[in-house]
Amino acid sequence: NAGVTQTPKFRILKIGQSMTLQCTQDMNHNYMYWYRQDPGMGLKLIYYSVGAGITDKGEVPNGYNVSRSTTEDFPLRLELAAPSQTSVYFCASSPRSGTYNEQFFGPGTRLTVL
Amino acid sequence: DQQVKQNSPSLSVQEGRISILNCDYTNSMFDYFLWYKKYPAEGPTFLISISSIKDKNEDGRFTVFLNKSAKHLSLHIVPSQPGDSAVYFCAASWQGAQKLVFGQGTRLTINP
């Protein structure tokens, strides 16, 4: 199993550009999550999904969109990139409720918006 | 509103000694707590967890203690090894929450 994979590893965007961060898991997990980590800060939840076709906002959803058409994939879309979106983005998955099962994380995407 | 707080941004410990990482929380609804470890350029990996019905959970060199009255938990690493140098995140959740709330992290450095 590859676990949770994320692409790209690094990306530099100009202000106003858009991009999609890809996340795929091969563990047949129902729950998937997107976090961002800013320097010196913890992980902030952007969006999460409890199954295909179901998504919900986390703590910091503004400026992002998600979709979940399959169990495996959970892409994160940035529209009109801003410098405040410079961060490291982590995707995670969990077999069922995130409450009593640990989440498995991907390696992250480092995004810089200039 | 920081519901999970790790007040020490960094900690330096001699190899072979005990490392103690602390975490405080404010939300009384939290009933499940986890520790994650993160190396540079990698995603966090699960280390150990504890349910609120326990006050201690052990896994090899790692022990987590939970003090519900003080809303405080700690991670003990004994003995500390150079490979333990990483950032450690405390996280909390409650039944039905479907998500975790993370602390800011503590960077642990183990010195030879």
Side-chain angles (χ1 to χ4, degrees):
Chain A
N1 283 355
V4 180
T5 56
Q6 293 183 238
T7 56
K9 283 188 166 49
F10 304 94
R11 183 73 186 268
I12 297 175
L13 280 183
K14 293 183 179 177
I15 293 172
Q17 287 185 321
S18 301
M19 76 164 293
T20 298
L21 282 67
Q22 301 292 345
C23 175
T24 300
Q25 54 92 8
D26 62 0
M27 299 174 282
N28 201 32
H29 286 172
N30 288 328
Y31 287 70
M32 294 189 74
Y33 307 82
W34 273 106
Y35 294 90
R36 59 177 286 172
Q37 186 195 6
D38 300 325
M41 304 294 286
L43 297 159
K44 299 288 187 186
L45 183 64
I46 305 171
Y47 270 96
Y48 66 102
S49 169
V50 303
I54 306 169
T55 63
D56 207 348
K57 294 178 180 178
E59 294 175 78
V60 289
N62 291 344
Y64 307 95
N65 277 303
V66 293
S67 59
R68 184 99 182 267
S69 55
T70 67
T71 299
E72 295 78 20
D73 300 306
F74 190 39
L76 177 72
R77 178 83 178 158
L78 277 73
E79 306 282 0
L80 298 174
S84 61
Q85 293 178 304
T86 294
S87 190
V88 181
Y89 291 84
F90 292 101
C91 178
S93 71
S94 180
R96 44 188 174 93
S97 167
T99 306
Y100 296 108
N101 285 278
E102 68 266 23
Q103 295 178 12
F104 297 81
F105 283 81
T109 294
R110 184 175 293 274
L111 175 69
T112 302
V113 182
L114 300 173
Chain B
D1 177 25
Q2 190 74 28
Q3 299 185 67
V4 178
K5 297 180 185 178
Q6 294 176 257
N7 291 319
S8 298
S10 62
L11 177 67
S12 188
V13 174
Q14 204 76 19
E15 182 179 357
R17 299 286 186 107
I18 183 171
S19 294
I20 300 176
L21 293 91
N22 293 305
C23 178
D24 297 298
Y25 62 95
T26 57
N27 192 334
S28 300
M29 290 180 64
F30 289 147
D31 60 3
Y32 191 67
F33 304 89
L34 307 88
W35 285 94
Y36 280 82
K37 177 179 181 178
K38 185 185 177 306
Y39 291 121
E42 294 184 11
T45 55
F46 171 74
L47 192 57
I48 192 169
S49 63
I50 188 167
S51 163
S52 61
I53 62 173
K54 295 185 173 181
D55 53 19
K56 177 182 172 181
N57 189 27
E58 241 176 307
D59 184 2
R61 296 186 298 113
F62 303 91
T63 303
V64 56
F65 294 91
L66 176 62
N67 182 334
K68 289 185 288 294
S69 59
K71 294 192 178 68
H72 176 83
L73 64 155
S74 60
L75 174 68
H76 292 212
I77 306 173
V78 184
S80 300
Q81 299 174 353
D84 296 330
S85 294
V87 176
Y88 289 79
F89 291 100
C90 170
S93 190
W94 66 95
Q95 193 171 8
Q98 301 174 332
K99 50 196 174 186
L100 298 174
V101 179
F102 284 85
Q104 309 95 307
T106 296
R107 182 179 301 279
L108 175 65
T109 303
I110 305 302
N111 302 307

